[in-house]
Amino acid sequence: MVKREEAEQYRREAARYPVIDSNTVVKTEDEIPLAYFIKGAMFAGLSLNEREELKESLLRTVKELIKEYPPPPPKTNDSRVKSYDKQKAKPTKNEKKCGQHNFMYLIPQGQKGHKPPDIHTHAQKKVSVVTEYMRNTTGTHNLVAKWIANIDPDTHRQLHDSYQRLGAEKLKHLYQGPNACHSSHVLVVDLAVDPHKDSNDAKQSWTVTHVVGKFTGGLVALPELGIRIKQEQGDFLIMHAAILTHFVEEIEEGERFSQVYFTRKDILFPAEEPKEKVEWPCPFPGCSKRAPKYKGIKGHLRGPTKKGPRLAAINSGKNAYHFLTVKEIKDNYEASLKPVLVGTNTVVHEPEEDEHKEDEQEEDEHDEDGRDEDENDEDGQENDEHKEDEH
């Protein structure tokens, strides 16, 4: 995720990108495909009347869901959602709210190796309404699967096998039959999303986006490729969303419903192998604090790095941090930072970043989301809520 000022810079630069409105394949210099834009992918082989009927049917399906189950709004601290306040105030005929439905299968945030995967909490509410929506969009998912099979048979086979192993037993009312391949579906309602990569998606997987409704604006920008996509209902945008930065420009007029199909890396690469589980005790004299990661205990020693949160933590009187400088930690405590074994855990087969990697820079450094890892919770425990993806 990028910072606000970086996001605005991305948007200013994107205004100069050419707009793509025809079939396009973008590849690397080594001829490795990164993105496909397929005009009318939904309508292949259909007559003009059949196309219009399908458009109306899909729009009716989405609006019926929104009417019975308005999409949850984005988190107030999610900087990726640029136009939430503006779009929220926009009047619409069916009084829909903007937001995002997460009909996903995932592991609760911070519970990898502790809790089994499950469907997102959004899918556990209004079950009959969600079931009807999933049933009525099965055809779209089947077409998504067919296009992935056409462009990348090996990856499709891997995705399809993963999905079918889960089946109706695990996916419950989100299961869309024997031809489906993606275990996560998000419906984004009238939101302009800021530049980001979907880091929880499997990197080699293909994320497929299809839009429903009539609107102006709402172009999809791909900064690394230097292009913007003018996507209309029936078009498929197929890309490596974990690799490519992407964002949606402001929706100027009309209604834009974005259906996104993808698979998370922790589902495509399920945890199978046992691994020793460790915790990191605080080396500060008299402190009993422990954290599940090396980074977490370093954040506990240092405290919030941004001026505002740091002052608030100091003035709170809760003594959740030691407020040491980077130099003090390095000189006095670095050598004492050692993990202790507390049990066994599991690992995901996809490579992850080295959690011991630390930046040796200024004290005002922070994590990607602008917060130290331990600022989420004074006890250093990660949130149990399902992590939401902004697609």
Side-chain angles (χ1 to χ4, degrees), residues 190-223:
D190 266 356
L191 287 179
V193 180
D194 268 355
H196 69 288
K197 297 177 183 178
D198 295 306
S199 58
N200 288 312
D201 292 9
K203 287 185 177 180
Q204 74 274 42
S205 177
W206 293 102
T207 294
V208 183
T209 303
H210 171 252
V211 295
V212 178
K214 294 182 179 180
F215 55 91
T216 56
L219 301 181
V220 180
L222 304 174

PDB file of all heavy atoms in Angstrom, residues 190-223:
ATOM      1  N   ASP A 190     -19.045   1.049  -6.245  1.00  0.00           N
ATOM      2  CA  ASP A 190     -18.811   2.489  -6.396  1.00  0.00           C
ATOM      3  C   ASP A 190     -17.647   3.025  -5.569  1.00  0.00           C
ATOM      4  O   ASP A 190     -17.767   4.064  -4.927  1.00  0.00           O
ATOM      5  CB  ASP A 190     -20.080   3.260  -6.022  1.00  0.00           C
ATOM      6  CG  ASP A 190     -20.929   3.565  -7.257  1.00  0.00           C
ATOM      7  OD1 ASP A 190     -20.484   3.242  -8.376  1.00  0.00           O
ATOM      8  OD2 ASP A 190     -22.022   4.129  -7.109  1.00  0.00           O
ATOM      9  N   LEU A 191     -16.538   2.339  -5.589  1.00  0.00           N
ATOM     10  CA  LEU A 191     -15.368   2.825  -4.857  1.00  0.00           C
ATOM     11  C   LEU A 191     -14.200   3.055  -5.809  1.00  0.00           C
ATOM     12  O   LEU A 191     -13.901   2.215  -6.654  1.00  0.00           O
ATOM     13  CB  LEU A 191     -14.932   1.818  -3.786  1.00  0.00           C
ATOM     14  CG  LEU A 191     -15.815   1.707  -2.544  1.00  0.00           C
ATOM     15  CD1 LEU A 191     -15.245   0.646  -1.612  1.00  0.00           C
ATOM     16  CD2 LEU A 191     -15.923   3.040  -1.822  1.00  0.00           C
ATOM     17  N   ALA A 192     -13.546   4.203  -5.656  1.00  0.00           N
ATOM     18  CA  ALA A 192     -12.276   4.454  -6.340  1.00  0.00           C
ATOM     19  C   ALA A 192     -11.171   4.010  -5.390  1.00  0.00           C
ATOM     20  O   ALA A 192     -11.041   4.521  -4.291  1.00  0.00           O
ATOM     21  CB  ALA A 192     -12.144   5.939  -6.673  1.00  0.00           C
ATOM     22  N   VAL A 193     -10.406   3.027  -5.815  1.00  0.00           N
ATOM     23  CA  VAL A 193      -9.412   2.408  -4.936  1.00  0.00           C
ATOM     24  C   VAL A 193      -8.019   2.925  -5.292  1.00  0.00           C
ATOM     25  O   VAL A 193      -7.648   2.977  -6.469  1.00  0.00           O
ATOM     26  CB  VAL A 193      -9.462   0.871  -5.068  1.00  0.00           C
ATOM     27  CG1 VAL A 193      -8.443   0.216  -4.157  1.00  0.00           C
ATOM     28  CG2 VAL A 193     -10.866   0.377  -4.736  1.00  0.00           C
ATOM     29  N   ASP A 194      -7.251   3.309  -4.280  1.00  0.00           N
ATOM     30  CA  ASP A 194      -5.937   3.887  -4.505  1.00  0.00           C
ATOM     31  C   ASP A 194      -4.902   2.817  -4.880  1.00  0.00           C
ATOM     32  O   ASP A 194      -5.141   1.625  -4.717  1.00  0.00           O
ATOM     33  CB  ASP A 194      -5.489   4.649  -3.252  1.00  0.00           C
ATOM     34  CG  ASP A 194      -5.878   6.125  -3.306  1.00  0.00           C
ATOM     35  OD1 ASP A 194      -6.399   6.554  -4.345  1.00  0.00           O
ATOM     36  OD2 ASP A 194      -5.656   6.845  -2.313  1.00  0.00           O
ATOM     37  N   PRO A 195      -3.734   3.242  -5.376  1.00  0.00           N
ATOM     38  CA  PRO A 195      -2.712   2.289  -5.846  1.00  0.00           C
ATOM     39  C   PRO A 195      -2.306   1.278  -4.785  1.00  0.00           C
ATOM     40  O   PRO A 195      -2.018   1.638  -3.645  1.00  0.00           O
ATOM     41  CB  PRO A 195      -1.533   3.200  -6.211  1.00  0.00           C
ATOM     42  CG  PRO A 195      -2.166   4.520  -6.532  1.00  0.00           C
ATOM     43  CD  PRO A 195      -3.325   4.638  -5.600  1.00  0.00           C
ATOM     44  N   HIS A 196      -2.266   0.016  -5.175  1.00  0.00           N
ATOM     45  CA  HIS A 196      -1.871  -1.049  -4.256  1.00  0.00           C
ATOM     46  C   HIS A 196      -1.596  -2.323  -5.048  1.00  0.00           C
ATOM     47  O   HIS A 196      -1.943  -2.435  -6.218  1.00  0.00           O
ATOM     48  CB  HIS A 196      -2.983  -1.325  -3.235  1.00  0.00           C
ATOM     49  CG  HIS A 196      -4.202  -1.953  -3.821  1.00  0.00           C
ATOM     50  ND1 HIS A 196      -5.085  -1.262  -4.621  1.00  0.00           N
ATOM     51  CD2 HIS A 196      -4.679  -3.230  -3.770  1.00  0.00           C
ATOM     52  CE1 HIS A 196      -6.057  -2.061  -5.017  1.00  0.00           C
ATOM     53  NE2 HIS A 196      -5.837  -3.271  -4.525  1.00  0.00           N
ATOM     54  N   LYS A 197      -0.934  -3.267  -4.395  1.00  0.00           N
ATOM     55  CA  LYS A 197      -0.818  -4.634  -4.885  1.00  0.00           C
ATOM     56  C   LYS A 197      -1.554  -5.532  -3.904  1.00  0.00           C
ATOM     57  O   LYS A 197      -1.551  -5.267  -2.700  1.00  0.00           O
ATOM     58  CB  LYS A 197       0.647  -5.058  -4.970  1.00  0.00           C
ATOM     59  CG  LYS A 197       1.478  -4.262  -5.952  1.00  0.00           C
ATOM     60  CD  LYS A 197       2.931  -4.699  -5.913  1.00  0.00           C
ATOM     61  CE  LYS A 197       3.787  -3.863  -6.847  1.00  0.00           C
ATOM     62  NZ  LYS A 197       5.219  -4.238  -6.794  1.00  0.00           N
ATOM     63  N   ASP A 198      -2.180  -6.564  -4.397  1.00  0.00           N
ATOM     64  CA  ASP A 198      -2.909  -7.486  -3.529  1.00  0.00           C
ATOM     65  C   ASP A 198      -1.936  -8.544  -3.023  1.00  0.00           C
ATOM     66  O   ASP A 198      -1.855  -9.663  -3.544  1.00  0.00           O
ATOM     67  CB  ASP A 198      -4.090  -8.099  -4.281  1.00  0.00           C
ATOM     68  CG  ASP A 198      -5.109  -7.047  -4.653  1.00  0.00           C
ATOM     69  OD1 ASP A 198      -5.552  -6.323  -3.756  1.00  0.00           O
ATOM     70  OD2 ASP A 198      -5.434  -6.925  -5.843  1.00  0.00           O
ATOM     71  N   SER A 199      -1.210  -8.184  -1.972  1.00  0.00           N
ATOM     72  CA  SER A 199      -0.103  -9.003  -1.495  1.00  0.00           C
ATOM     73  C   SER A 199      -0.549 -10.333  -0.895  1.00  0.00           C
ATOM     74  O   SER A 199       0.263 -11.244  -0.730  1.00  0.00           O
ATOM     75  CB  SER A 199       0.711  -8.227  -0.455  1.00  0.00           C
ATOM     76  OG  SER A 199      -0.103  -7.835   0.629  1.00  0.00           O
ATOM     77  N   ASN A 200      -1.829 -10.466  -0.563  1.00  0.00           N
ATOM     78  CA  ASN A 200      -2.325 -11.736  -0.027  1.00  0.00           C
ATOM     79  C   ASN A 200      -2.716 -12.726  -1.124  1.00  0.00           C
ATOM     80  O   ASN A 200      -3.001 -13.885  -0.836  1.00  0.00           O
ATOM     81  CB  ASN A 200      -3.519 -11.497   0.895  1.00  0.00           C
ATOM     82  CG  ASN A 200      -3.113 -10.865   2.201  1.00  0.00           C
ATOM     83  OD1 ASN A 200      -2.167 -11.304   2.841  1.00  0.00           O
ATOM     84  ND2 ASN A 200      -3.808  -9.809   2.598  1.00  0.00           N
ATOM     85  N   ASP A 201      -2.744 -12.260  -2.368  1.00  0.00           N
ATOM     86  CA  ASP A 201      -3.056 -13.162  -3.478  1.00  0.00           C
ATOM     87  C   ASP A 201      -1.827 -14.010  -3.818  1.00  0.00           C
ATOM     88  O   ASP A 201      -0.684 -13.579  -3.618  1.00  0.00           O
ATOM     89  CB  ASP A 201      -3.451 -12.364  -4.719  1.00  0.00           C
ATOM     90  CG  ASP A 201      -4.775 -11.647  -4.552  1.00  0.00           C
ATOM     91  OD1 ASP A 201      -5.295 -11.637  -3.424  1.00  0.00           O
ATOM     92  OD2 ASP A 201      -5.270 -11.075  -5.532  1.00  0.00           O
ATOM     93  N   ALA A 202      -2.057 -15.183  -4.344  1.00  0.00           N
ATOM     94  CA  ALA A 202      -0.958 -16.005  -4.853  1.00  0.00           C
ATOM     95  C   ALA A 202      -0.355 -15.305  -6.068  1.00  0.00           C
ATOM     96  O   ALA A 202      -1.070 -14.893  -6.983  1.00  0.00           O
ATOM     97  CB  ALA A 202      -1.474 -17.387  -5.231  1.00  0.00           C
ATOM     98  N   LYS A 203       0.965 -15.153  -6.085  1.00  0.00           N
ATOM     99  CA  LYS A 203       1.621 -14.350  -7.120  1.00  0.00           C
ATOM    100  C   LYS A 203       1.410 -14.903  -8.523  1.00  0.00           C
ATOM    101  O   LYS A 203       1.249 -14.147  -9.487  1.00  0.00           O
ATOM    102  CB  LYS A 203       3.110 -14.228  -6.818  1.00  0.00           C
ATOM    103  CG  LYS A 203       3.421 -13.300  -5.658  1.00  0.00           C
ATOM    104  CD  LYS A 203       4.908 -13.113  -5.472  1.00  0.00           C
ATOM    105  CE  LYS A 203       5.178 -12.128  -4.348  1.00  0.00           C
ATOM    106  NZ  LYS A 203       6.633 -11.923  -4.132  1.00  0.00           N
ATOM    107  N   GLN A 204       1.451 -16.217  -8.692  1.00  0.00           N
ATOM    108  CA  GLN A 204       1.312 -16.774 -10.034  1.00  0.00           C
ATOM    109  C   GLN A 204      -0.141 -16.928 -10.448  1.00  0.00           C
ATOM    110  O   GLN A 204      -0.434 -17.318 -11.577  1.00  0.00           O
ATOM    111  CB  GLN A 204       2.026 -18.127 -10.132  1.00  0.00           C
ATOM    112  CG  GLN A 204       1.312 -19.285  -9.446  1.00  0.00           C
ATOM    113  CD  GLN A 204       1.673 -19.380  -7.976  1.00  0.00           C
ATOM    114  OE1 GLN A 204       1.760 -18.374  -7.287  1.00  0.00           O
ATOM    115  NE2 GLN A 204       1.886 -20.580  -7.496  1.00  0.00           N
ATOM    116  N   SER A 205      -1.066 -16.623  -9.548  1.00  0.00           N
ATOM    117  CA  SER A 205      -2.487 -16.739  -9.861  1.00  0.00           C
ATOM    118  C   SER A 205      -2.937 -15.580 -10.750  1.00  0.00           C
ATOM    119  O   SER A 205      -2.261 -14.553 -10.862  1.00  0.00           O
ATOM    120  CB  SER A 205      -3.295 -16.748  -8.563  1.00  0.00           C
ATOM    121  OG  SER A 205      -4.678 -16.783  -8.848  1.00  0.00           O
ATOM    122  N   TRP A 206      -4.081 -15.759 -11.378  1.00  0.00           N
ATOM    123  CA  TRP A 206      -4.660 -14.712 -12.221  1.00  0.00           C
ATOM    124  C   TRP A 206      -5.904 -14.148 -11.538  1.00  0.00           C
ATOM    125  O   TRP A 206      -6.858 -14.884 -11.286  1.00  0.00           O
ATOM    126  CB  TRP A 206      -5.033 -15.266 -13.594  1.00  0.00           C
ATOM    127  CG  TRP A 206      -3.864 -15.668 -14.415  1.00  0.00           C
ATOM    128  CD1 TRP A 206      -3.405 -16.944 -14.616  1.00  0.00           C
ATOM    129  CD2 TRP A 206      -2.993 -14.815 -15.148  1.00  0.00           C
ATOM    130  NE1 TRP A 206      -2.295 -16.930 -15.435  1.00  0.00           N
ATOM    131  CE2 TRP A 206      -2.019 -15.636 -15.779  1.00  0.00           C
ATOM    132  CE3 TRP A 206      -2.929 -13.434 -15.334  1.00  0.00           C
ATOM    133  CZ2 TRP A 206      -1.001 -15.121 -16.581  1.00  0.00           C
ATOM    134  CZ3 TRP A 206      -1.920 -12.924 -16.137  1.00  0.00           C
ATOM    135  CH2 TRP A 206      -0.970 -13.754 -16.748  1.00  0.00           C
ATOM    136  N   THR A 207      -5.890 -12.869 -11.244  1.00  0.00           N
ATOM    137  CA  THR A 207      -7.068 -12.178 -10.710  1.00  0.00           C
ATOM    138  C   THR A 207      -7.887 -11.669 -11.892  1.00  0.00           C
ATOM    139  O   THR A 207      -7.341 -11.065 -12.819  1.00  0.00           O
ATOM    140  CB  THR A 207      -6.643 -10.998  -9.824  1.00  0.00           C
ATOM    141  OG1 THR A 207      -5.969 -11.501  -8.670  1.00  0.00           O
ATOM    142  CG2 THR A 207      -7.859 -10.187  -9.378  1.00  0.00           C
ATOM    143  N   VAL A 208      -9.181 -11.918 -11.848  1.00  0.00           N
ATOM    144  CA  VAL A 208     -10.059 -11.529 -12.955  1.00  0.00           C
ATOM    145  C   VAL A 208     -11.097 -10.539 -12.447  1.00  0.00           C
ATOM    146  O   VAL A 208     -11.769 -10.790 -11.444  1.00  0.00           O
ATOM    147  CB  VAL A 208     -10.759 -12.757 -13.577  1.00  0.00           C
ATOM    148  CG1 VAL A 208     -11.617 -12.332 -14.766  1.00  0.00           C
ATOM    149  CG2 VAL A 208      -9.732 -13.800 -14.007  1.00  0.00           C
ATOM    150  N   THR A 209     -11.200  -9.411 -13.156  1.00  0.00           N
ATOM    151  CA  THR A 209     -12.161  -8.365 -12.799  1.00  0.00           C
ATOM    152  C   THR A 209     -13.173  -8.190 -13.915  1.00  0.00           C
ATOM    153  O   THR A 209     -12.812  -8.120 -15.097  1.00  0.00           O
ATOM    154  CB  THR A 209     -11.440  -7.026 -12.548  1.00  0.00           C
ATOM    155  OG1 THR A 209     -10.466  -7.194 -11.531  1.00  0.00           O
ATOM    156  CG2 THR A 209     -12.435  -5.962 -12.106  1.00  0.00           C
ATOM    157  N   HIS A 210     -14.434  -8.101 -13.512  1.00  0.00           N
ATOM    158  CA  HIS A 210     -15.536  -7.840 -14.451  1.00  0.00           C
ATOM    159  C   HIS A 210     -16.419  -6.760 -13.833  1.00  0.00           C
ATOM    160  O   HIS A 210     -16.704  -6.811 -12.642  1.00  0.00           O
ATOM    161  CB  HIS A 210     -16.348  -9.116 -14.695  1.00  0.00           C
ATOM    162  CG  HIS A 210     -17.603  -8.881 -15.471  1.00  0.00           C
ATOM    163  ND1 HIS A 210     -18.858  -8.951 -14.893  1.00  0.00           N
ATOM    164  CD2 HIS A 210     -17.800  -8.557 -16.766  1.00  0.00           C
ATOM    165  CE1 HIS A 210     -19.770  -8.699 -15.812  1.00  0.00           C
ATOM    166  NE2 HIS A 210     -19.152  -8.460 -16.956  1.00  0.00           N
ATOM    167  N   VAL A 211     -16.802  -5.767 -14.614  1.00  0.00           N
ATOM    168  CA  VAL A 211     -17.632  -4.689 -14.074  1.00  0.00           C
ATOM    169  C   VAL A 211     -19.060  -4.809 -14.580  1.00  0.00           C
ATOM    170  O   VAL A 211     -19.311  -5.280 -15.693  1.00  0.00           O
ATOM    171  CB  VAL A 211     -17.068  -3.295 -14.422  1.00  0.00           C
ATOM    172  CG1 VAL A 211     -15.727  -3.073 -13.755  1.00  0.00           C
ATOM    173  CG2 VAL A 211     -16.964  -3.094 -15.926  1.00  0.00           C
ATOM    174  N   VAL A 212     -19.979  -4.373 -13.734  1.00  0.00           N
ATOM    175  CA  VAL A 212     -21.402  -4.366 -14.054  1.00  0.00           C
ATOM    176  C   VAL A 212     -21.904  -2.941 -13.877  1.00  0.00           C
ATOM    177  O   VAL A 212     -21.512  -2.239 -12.926  1.00  0.00           O
ATOM    178  CB  VAL A 212     -22.183  -5.325 -13.136  1.00  0.00           C
ATOM    179  CG1 VAL A 212     -23.674  -5.268 -13.436  1.00  0.00           C
ATOM    180  CG2 VAL A 212     -21.659  -6.754 -13.277  1.00  0.00           C
ATOM    181  N   GLY A 213     -22.792  -2.484 -14.763  1.00  0.00           N
ATOM    182  CA  GLY A 213     -23.369  -1.150 -14.646  1.00  0.00           C
ATOM    183  C   GLY A 213     -22.862  -0.207 -15.720  1.00  0.00           C
ATOM    184  O   GLY A 213     -21.921  -0.510 -16.460  1.00  0.00           O
ATOM    185  N   LYS A 214     -23.503   0.955 -15.781  1.00  0.00           N
ATOM    186  CA  LYS A 214     -23.104   2.001 -16.721  1.00  0.00           C
ATOM    187  C   LYS A 214     -22.530   3.165 -15.926  1.00  0.00           C
ATOM    188  O   LYS A 214     -23.129   3.623 -14.966  1.00  0.00           O
ATOM    189  CB  LYS A 214     -24.306   2.458 -17.555  1.00  0.00           C
ATOM    190  CG  LYS A 214     -24.849   1.381 -18.491  1.00  0.00           C
ATOM    191  CD  LYS A 214     -26.006   1.915 -19.316  1.00  0.00           C
ATOM    192  CE  LYS A 214     -26.544   0.844 -20.274  1.00  0.00           C
ATOM    193  NZ  LYS A 214     -27.673   1.359 -21.088  1.00  0.00           N
ATOM    194  N   PHE A 215     -21.371   3.662 -16.363  1.00  0.00           N
ATOM    195  CA  PHE A 215     -20.697   4.714 -15.612  1.00  0.00           C
ATOM    196  C   PHE A 215     -19.695   5.422 -16.518  1.00  0.00           C
ATOM    197  O   PHE A 215     -19.322   4.930 -17.581  1.00  0.00           O
ATOM    198  CB  PHE A 215     -19.960   4.118 -14.408  1.00  0.00           C
ATOM    199  CG  PHE A 215     -18.998   3.014 -14.766  1.00  0.00           C
ATOM    200  CD1 PHE A 215     -17.672   3.290 -15.060  1.00  0.00           C
ATOM    201  CD2 PHE A 215     -19.422   1.688 -14.845  1.00  0.00           C
ATOM    202  CE1 PHE A 215     -16.787   2.292 -15.411  1.00  0.00           C
ATOM    203  CE2 PHE A 215     -18.542   0.671 -15.203  1.00  0.00           C
ATOM    204  CZ  PHE A 215     -17.225   0.976 -15.485  1.00  0.00           C
ATOM    205  N   THR A 216     -19.262   6.591 -16.077  1.00  0.00           N
ATOM    206  CA  THR A 216     -18.131   7.263 -16.695  1.00  0.00           C
ATOM    207  C   THR A 216     -17.048   7.413 -15.642  1.00  0.00           C
ATOM    208  O   THR A 216     -17.322   7.465 -14.440  1.00  0.00           O
ATOM    209  CB  THR A 216     -18.527   8.655 -17.230  1.00  0.00           C
ATOM    210  OG1 THR A 216     -19.084   9.431 -16.162  1.00  0.00           O
ATOM    211  CG2 THR A 216     -19.548   8.529 -18.349  1.00  0.00           C
ATOM    212  N   GLY A 217     -15.793   7.504 -16.106  1.00  0.00           N
ATOM    213  CA  GLY A 217     -14.687   7.473 -15.156  1.00  0.00           C
ATOM    214  C   GLY A 217     -14.417   6.033 -14.764  1.00  0.00           C
ATOM    215  O   GLY A 217     -14.749   5.088 -15.482  1.00  0.00           O
ATOM    216  N   GLY A 218     -13.812   5.845 -13.600  1.00  0.00           N
ATOM    217  CA  GLY A 218     -13.582   4.493 -13.106  1.00  0.00           C
ATOM    218  C   GLY A 218     -12.629   3.674 -13.941  1.00  0.00           C
ATOM    219  O   GLY A 218     -12.716   2.442 -13.964  1.00  0.00           O
ATOM    220  N   LEU A 219     -11.687   4.342 -14.640  1.00  0.00           N
ATOM    221  CA  LEU A 219     -10.691   3.599 -15.406  1.00  0.00           C
ATOM    222  C   LEU A 219      -9.745   2.858 -14.472  1.00  0.00           C
ATOM    223  O   LEU A 219      -9.466   3.323 -13.367  1.00  0.00           O
ATOM    224  CB  LEU A 219      -9.879   4.543 -16.295  1.00  0.00           C
ATOM    225  CG  LEU A 219     -10.646   5.376 -17.333  1.00  0.00           C
ATOM    226  CD1 LEU A 219      -9.672   6.221 -18.135  1.00  0.00           C
ATOM    227  CD2 LEU A 219     -11.461   4.479 -18.254  1.00  0.00           C
ATOM    228  N   VAL A 220      -9.243   1.720 -14.901  1.00  0.00           N
ATOM    229  CA  VAL A 220      -8.266   0.951 -14.121  1.00  0.00           C
ATOM    230  C   VAL A 220      -6.875   1.316 -14.618  1.00  0.00           C
ATOM    231  O   VAL A 220      -6.563   1.133 -15.806  1.00  0.00           O
ATOM    232  CB  VAL A 220      -8.493  -0.563 -14.259  1.00  0.00           C
ATOM    233  CG1 VAL A 220      -7.467  -1.325 -13.429  1.00  0.00           C
ATOM    234  CG2 VAL A 220      -9.907  -0.929 -13.832  1.00  0.00           C
ATOM    235  N   ALA A 221      -6.039   1.847 -13.730  1.00  0.00           N
ATOM    236  CA  ALA A 221      -4.690   2.260 -14.102  1.00  0.00           C
ATOM    237  C   ALA A 221      -3.673   1.224 -13.627  1.00  0.00           C
ATOM    238  O   ALA A 221      -3.757   0.720 -12.508  1.00  0.00           O
ATOM    239  CB  ALA A 221      -4.373   3.628 -13.500  1.00  0.00           C
ATOM    240  N   LEU A 222      -2.699   0.937 -14.486  1.00  0.00           N
ATOM    241  CA  LEU A 222      -1.612   0.005 -14.185  1.00  0.00           C
ATOM    242  C   LEU A 222      -0.295   0.769 -14.365  1.00  0.00           C
ATOM    243  O   LEU A 222       0.261   0.819 -15.472  1.00  0.00           O
ATOM    244  CB  LEU A 222      -1.669  -1.206 -15.104  1.00  0.00           C
ATOM    245  CG  LEU A 222      -2.992  -1.997 -15.104  1.00  0.00           C
ATOM    246  CD1 LEU A 222      -2.964  -3.086 -16.165  1.00  0.00           C
ATOM    247  CD2 LEU A 222      -3.266  -2.587 -13.739  1.00  0.00           C
ATOM    248  N   PRO A 223       0.211   1.388 -13.284  1.00  0.00           N
ATOM    249  CA  PRO A 223       1.372   2.285 -13.401  1.00  0.00           C
ATOM    250  C   PRO A 223       2.618   1.644 -13.993  1.00  0.00           C
ATOM    251  O   PRO A 223       3.299   2.266 -14.817  1.00  0.00           O
ATOM    252  CB  PRO A 223       1.610   2.730 -11.949  1.00  0.00           C
ATOM    253  CG  PRO A 223       0.291   2.584 -11.284  1.00  0.00           C
ATOM    254  CD  PRO A 223      -0.340   1.388 -11.921  1.00  0.00           C
TER     255      PRO A 223
END
